[in-house]
Amino acid sequence: MRFMRRVSRWRWMLPTVRLVGLSLLPIILTLLMIVALLFEESELSVQRRVEGLVMGAQTALDGKLQYGLRLAVALSESRSLKSGDYADFALEAQSVVSQDQDLAWIVITDVPGKRFVYHTGRPETPAVALPAGPNAVAQGAQVLVTGQPTIFGLRQHGPTITEKTIPIRTPIRDSSTDGLTLTVMLEASPLISLFEAMPASWSGLVIDPGGNIVATNKIAADRIGKQIGQALSERLATQLCNRLGDGSIRLNSVMLTPQEPADAGKTSLEVASCSNRTGWSIVVKVPDSEVHAPFDEGLKLIILMGIVAITLSAGIALRLGRRLEETKDLRAAKEAAESANQLKSEFLANMSHELRTPLNAILGHAQLMEGIQKTDQSADPSREESVRRMHLEQITRAGWHLLGLIEEVLDLSKIESGNLAIEHSLIDLPALLGDCLAQVEPQAQKFHVKLLPIHVEPQARFALADPLRLRQVVLNLLSNAIKYNRPGGSVQVAVEPLPDRRLGIAISDTGRGMTDSQLQQLFQPFVRFVARGEVIEGTGIGLALSKRLVEMMGGELTVKSRPGQGSVFSFAIERGEQLDTNPLVPANQSELPVSAQPAAEPPPLEPAARQAGAHRSVLYIEDTMTNLEIVRLYLERQGGFRVLHAPDGEGGIELALAECPDVIVLDMNLPGMNGLQVKQALHTNPQTRDIPVIALSANAMHADIEQALAAGFYDYLTKPIKLPKLLDALRTASPA
């Protein structure tokens, strides 16, 4: 079964493999043809190289020998030589030798006397005759007998081939003394070039017309077992010249070992050349390993190319297959991106609508207030005040609604970007849930909905979760359970223990319920199920935000609902254990915005309360005049406050040193010095170090608040300014 699954997994590659295999077939056939041609061409290329080497050496050697013959005959006809004037001939011979680099020396030999009569390499010979060697005497005798100039084999004067010469001897006719011969010693440069141009593994022979070895290299001498001067085969030399003429031929029968049969060298290459003018032959033999070396190198290259081609084909097959899979994935990703883009467009459209709705209320009521005096000058003052108060209430309500919308959108954005931190701590659930019910009690009374007592199992009192975010989730769910309930309905909160040390929290209502299609869209932002003509306050973000917050705390928000029978929202969190007698989270938690319940304005202060704030001086460092006027007018209305103002940090520090206010309210985003820098400057001065400083900023991020409190700020308030909260902070920071 596992094998079949693997086969099916790779089945998509089979068409690609077949396609690549068919495309490789002509390439493989072409490579085979190249191998065959390369085999033949490798042998031909080596043969052409050897033939060029041999023919070049043969041509150079023929030219040098013909030149030597002509020079020897010309010098033997010299008048000074025939007259016996060796001193005059010495000058002539020295001049010829000095002008010709291919001429080693000129020698006159007295054959019967077995001595050198003259030697250009030894100027003393005219005066003192030196004994001639046996080879010189024997070769001179041969020339005297034939009466013709003769080319003799290579003569070695040292241990290397570069110290060899080719002697050409001729009789001196009509001389006053018989038995004299003239020898021209030529440099063996063509043969030297031949052996220097050959690789060390090649064998080379030069044979004279008599079949004697004139020149050879070490590998050839070792192969045939003969040295220079020894006879190879006169019959072989004659056969070579008869077969070759002035050309070259390939053969395999000259350089054989004594034990080697005539056809044993058939796999090697042997090239010979012979000159009809001189009768000298040159034979070069190349071993089989070097004959086919180009083919072997080419074959390796072709094998490598084949491996590369097969590898590339396999890679292409895999790549094509993966490309098909990637295309499917890209198509799915594209569809997902288009769907996300559509959702984003819908989100922005809904966001625009939701932001414009409270803004329209704010601006509309403000314009109505502005036009009260213009439209009706004779209106009743008490009625005018009542209308103005009504507009103010609507503006305030719309403002708090807008603030709640912005904060929920920011929370949702922080969750999406991963910047929302969750801090788990021990929570007393009955206390937290009871506080939440107390907060929504006014809303329940408004909608005529009864809040039933909380049902908590004894084992489900404590939980481990983020208290701030858990409160936010519960308040949102309670608010929805009240708003979408029916008059006379009820809301129940229940907590029960679950397996694997978790707690289940359920909030049920007796409201209108939801259909299956509504349940599918329930947790999308800005989705609200409001009947035509029905007005229910809310942002449409609460459930989407609550679902993400529950997931970040390790749970899952689920819903069960049927039309006309109400809904039950439930989620699970981790169970906790009480470590001491005091719960870690008191019932009085910090406020969170509830979209359906705007913050209530505290009741007006009594005169005695106003007097409690007497003789307090407040320095407000703020660059926006609107914010300044709001705070100044509010505090002056409360009574007992003297408000000082500075538009920037530098001016605020100077005014603080001059007036020593009781409290400083500091905007964090000032031109020039920012709020943190101003606080640092105030802290370093002993005169202002102990003045409490309250931060006021539009930045509501948790990190900004923590940074400010760590820097020594007494409190941190966010804009829009909640004036009653600012008043409480001022009274706490500087008691009367």
Side-chain angles (χ1 to χ4, degrees):
M1 181 65 67
R2 184 179 302 175
F3 174 76
M4 294 303 296
R5 283 199 301 267
R6 291 181 179 177
V7 170
S8 62
R9 185 184 304 171
W10 293 93
R11 187 174 298 168
W12 55 267
M13 288 187 58
L14 294 179
T16 306
V17 172
R18 285 197 296 268
L19 177 63
V20 173
L22 291 175
S23 63
L24 279 179
L25 184 59
I27 298 178
I28 295 174
L29 294 176
T30 303
L31 290 178
L32 292 176
M33 293 177 61
I34 292 175
V35 169
L37 293 174
L38 184 62
F39 182 83
E40 182 179 357
E41 181 62 26
S42 65
E43 195 168 350
L44 291 175
S45 63
V46 175
Q47 180 176 342
R48 286 193 292 267
R49 178 186 173 189
V50 177
E51 287 180 350
L53 180 66
V54 170
M55 293 302 295
Q58 184 72 67
T59 301
L61 181 61
D62 284 354
K64 182 176 285 283
L65 295 179
Q66 292 296 323
Y67 164 74
L69 286 171
R70 292 192 298 270
L71 180 62
V73 173
L75 289 175
S76 68
E77 299 291 337
S78 171
R79 292 181 181 180
S80 57
L81 184 60
K82 289 183 177 182
S83 64
D85 188 355
Y86 296 123
D88 189 31
F89 178 75
L91 294 175
E92 184 179 353
Q94 289 289 350
S95 176
V96 173
V97 172
S98 63
Q99 295 177 9
D100 193 341
Q101 295 180 353
D102 292 333
L103 189 60
W105 56 74
I106 300 172
V107 179
I108 299 176
T109 307
D110 178 7
V111 176
K114 299 181 181 180
R115 61 178 183 167
F116 294 132
V117 176
Y118 175 74
H119 197 303
T120 55
R122 298 176 179 177
E124 70 276 10
T125 51
V128 181
L130 299 176
N135 287 337
V137 174
Q139 292 173 0
Q142 178 182 344
V143 170
L144 291 175
V145 171
T146 60
Q148 298 293 329
T150 305
I151 303 170
F152 290 93
L154 204 65
R155 183 177 177 184
Q156 185 161 337
H157 306 281
T160 65
I161 192 172
T162 58
E163 299 177 6
K164 295 178 180 179
T165 58
I166 302 173
I168 300 177
R169 300 181 185 275
T170 183
I172 302 175
R173 299 178 180 86
D174 299 328
S175 62
S176 56
T177 304
D178 294 333
L180 295 182
T181 61
L182 183 141
T183 305
V184 174
M185 308 296 286
L186 298 176
E187 297 285 356
S189 55
L191 302 181
I192 295 171
S193 300
L194 170 67
F195 290 111
E196 287 180 348
M198 287 194 312
S201 58
W202 291 14
S203 305
L205 284 177
V206 182
I207 308 170
D208 67 8
N212 301 310
I213 299 175
V214 177
T216 184
N217 61 353
K218 185 176 184 306
I219 189 170
D222 294 342
R223 181 178 179 80
I224 62 178
K226 295 184 178 182
Q227 301 296 328
I228 295 175
Q230 294 182 327
L232 182 62
S233 171
E234 183 176 359
R235 183 179 61 82
L236 176 61
T238 304
Q239 289 178 352
L240 283 176
C241 286
N242 290 338
R243 292 174 61 186
L244 296 174
D246 285 328
S248 63
I249 190 172
R250 176 178 172 178
L251 63 161
N252 295 293
S253 57
V254 176
M255 280 185 277
L256 302 176
T257 62
Q259 299 81 19
E260 189 176 9
D263 60 346
K266 62 183 179 180
T267 57
S268 61
L269 176 64
E270 194 174 80
V271 175
S273 173
C274 180
S275 173
N276 284 332
R277 289 172 289 178
T278 62
W280 284 39
S281 301
I282 298 176
V283 182
V284 174
K285 188 168 188 175
V286 182
D288 177 67
S289 61
E290 296 196 29
V291 172
H292 299 122
F295 168 75
D296 295 339
E297 294 298 324
L299 185 60
K300 292 177 183 177
L301 180 60
I302 291 174
I303 293 174
L304 179 61
M305 290 171 60
I307 294 174
V308 171
I310 294 173
T311 304
L312 288 176
S313 301
I316 290 172
L318 289 174
R319 190 171 182 83
L320 288 176
R322 289 173 182 169
R323 181 64 61 86
L324 292 174
E325 291 296 310
E326 290 173 359
T327 302
K328 295 179 181 178
D329 294 340
L330 287 175
R331 187 180 296 111
K334 180 182 177 183
E335 292 174 355
E338 291 175 350
S339 176
N341 190 48
Q342 179 66 24
L343 290 176
K344 178 182 177 182
S345 299
E346 294 176 359
F347 176 86
L348 292 176
N350 290 330
M351 185 70 186
S352 175
H353 176 268
E354 295 298 330
L355 288 175
R356 288 174 182 273
T357 300
L359 281 175
N360 180 67
I362 293 171
L363 295 174
H365 285 287
Q367 292 175 78
L368 290 174
M369 286 182 61
E370 184 181 13
I372 288 176
Q373 295 295 335
K374 297 179 181 179
T375 56
D376 190 2
Q377 298 294 335
S378 61
D380 183 7
S382 60
R383 182 177 180 278
E384 181 179 328
E385 180 63 25
S386 176
V387 172
R388 183 180 290 107
R389 183 175 295 277
M390 182 271 294
H391 289 312
L392 288 174
E393 290 177 355
Q394 294 297 328
I395 290 174
T396 303
R397 181 183 298 273
W400 292 123
H401 176 76
L402 181 60
L403 178 60
L405 175 64
I406 292 173
E407 289 184 347
E408 289 187 339
V409 169
L410 288 176
D411 284 343
L412 192 61
S413 174
K414 285 187 284 186
I415 292 175
E416 294 292 342
S417 61
N419 294 325
L420 186 68
I422 295 295
E423 299 176 359
H424 288 77
S425 58
L426 190 63
I427 302 173
D428 186 349
L429 278 180
L432 185 142
L433 295 175
D435 187 51
C436 291
L437 287 176
Q439 287 191 33
V440 299
E441 178 64 32
Q443 185 184 18
Q445 294 177 2
K446 176 182 176 181
F447 284 86
H448 306 288
V449 174
K450 184 178 180 181
L451 299 178
L452 300 177
I454 304 172
H455 177 73
V456 180
E457 296 286 343
Q459 306 91 341
R461 178 179 177 183
F462 296 102
L464 282 176
D466 188 312
L468 192 66
R469 301 305 172 184
L470 179 60
R471 176 182 294 270
Q472 188 173 357
V473 170
V474 173
L475 286 174
N476 272 318
L477 295 178
L478 286 174
S479 177
N480 286 339
I482 293 171
K483 289 186 299 182
Y484 293 95
N485 215 314
R486 55 180 174 81
S490 62
V491 175
Q492 172 77 61
V493 180
V495 182
E496 61 178 356
L498 299 176
D500 62 12
R501 297 189 55 78
R502 297 178 71 79
L503 297 177
I505 300 177
I507 299 176
S508 58
D509 63 71
T510 58
R512 64 186 69 178
M514 289 174 283
T515 63
D516 292 339
S517 61
Q518 289 176 331
L519 290 174
Q520 293 178 358
Q521 309 174 51
L522 183 62
F523 295 109
Q524 296 181 13
F526 298 112
V527 173
R528 303 179 66 213
F529 305 125
V530 180
R532 179 176 298 180
E534 187 178 25
V535 178
I536 298 180
E537 294 180 348
T539 62
I541 304 178
L543 280 178
L545 179 60
S546 297
K547 184 176 187 298
R548 303 291 180 85
L549 290 175
V550 169
E551 290 172 352
M552 292 186 68
M553 290 186 288
E556 181 182 3
L557 181 60
T558 60
V559 58
K560 295 180 180 178
S561 181
R562 297 187 65 180
Q565 299 184 12
S567 304
V568 179
F569 287 83
S570 58
F571 59 93
I573 55 176
E574 186 177 353
R575 187 192 309 177
E577 296 180 0
Q578 184 181 12
L579 301 178
D580 50 37
T581 58
N582 297 319
L584 293 183
V585 180
N588 258 346
Q589 264 294 354
S590 59
E591 290 185 19
L592 283 178
V594 181
S595 57
Q597 180 185 357
E601 182 78 13
L605 296 176
E606 296 298 328
R610 296 190 181 190
Q611 291 300 322
H615 308 298
R616 290 189 182 94
S617 60
V618 177
L619 172 58
Y620 187 16
I621 306 175
E622 170 67 68
D623 61 323
T624 304
M625 295 305 297
T626 302
N627 295 336
L628 170 65
E629 287 300 315
I630 292 174
V631 172
R632 184 181 63 80
L633 292 173
Y634 181 77
L635 293 180
E636 288 179 354
R637 182 183 301 174
Q638 301 303 317
F641 286 98
R642 184 168 66 96
V643 179
L644 307 173
H645 170 248
D648 53 40
E650 292 82 355
I653 295 172
E654 294 178 1
L655 195 56
L657 292 173
E659 297 289 339
C660 291
D662 297 315
V663 185
I664 297 175
V665 179
L666 176 60
D667 182 31
M668 299 299 288
N669 297 313
L670 292 170
M673 298 177 67
N674 60 35
L676 291 173
Q677 293 171 337
V678 173
K679 179 64 177 70
Q680 179 65 26
L682 293 171
H683 181 74
T684 56
N685 194 311
Q687 188 175 348
T688 57
R689 178 180 302 166
D690 297 328
I691 300 176
V693 181
I694 299 174
L696 190 61
S697 175
N699 293 332
M701 303 299 288
H702 186 65
D704 296 325
I705 298 174
E706 287 186 344
Q707 184 182 16
L709 296 178
F713 281 87
Y714 180 81
D715 202 349
Y716 190 103
L717 304 179
T718 59
K719 298 176 182 178
I721 305 172
K722 297 178 181 178
L723 295 174
K725 193 170 184 180
L726 173 62
L727 181 61
D728 291 340
L730 291 173
R731 288 172 174 169
T732 307
S734 178

